[in-house]
Amino acid sequence: SWWSIIERSKFEGVTRGRVTVRFRLHRDGTVTDAEIVRNDVTRVMSLACKDAVMAPAPYDIWRADMVAMYGESDTVTINFHYY
């Protein structure tokens, strides 16, 4: 999802850096509490990363073995790198 957002966006003053997005992924595939916890680039570029997490939700429902391992939800952290 991130690549398609990047391709259709016209970022002014593109910079190199990293964006870290943390969110809660629930067993039913929903996403809550998404937040940008690190941002080395422009606000628009960082929001593209957050949107890349939120836009495809809900994700697939977890299988029984995933529920057994993670419970009802889990915190996920993703790093996006702009080069």
Side-chain angles (χ1 to χ4, degrees):
S1 174
W2 183 59
W3 286 110
S4 64
I5 292 169
I6 297 303
E7 288 174 1
R8 44 176 213 266
S9 299
K10 303 231 186 288
F11 295 128
E12 293 182 21
V14 175
T15 57
R16 293 176 180 228
R18 184 172 84 186
V19 176
T20 303
V21 178
R22 182 174 297 138
F23 59 96
R24 196 108 188 118
L25 181 59
H26 300 269
R27 69 183 287 177
D28 65 357
T30 58
V31 173
T32 61
D33 306 323
E35 63 179 330
I36 298 166
V37 295
R38 178 182 173 159
N39 180 21
D40 300 334
V41 297
T42 67
R43 179 154 172 76
V44 172
M45 293 169 72
S46 65
L47 290 174
C49 298
K50 186 176 177 182
D51 189 43
V53 169
M54 299 296 295
Y59 294 93
D60 290 341
I61 295 172
W62 291 2
R63 299 179 318 264
D65 61 326
M66 292 175 68
V67 174
M69 183 178 290
Y70 298 109
E72 293 296 312
S73 65
D74 195 29
T75 300
V76 179
T77 303
I78 298 178
N79 291 298
F80 296 86
H81 296 269
Y82 286 96
Y83 293 104

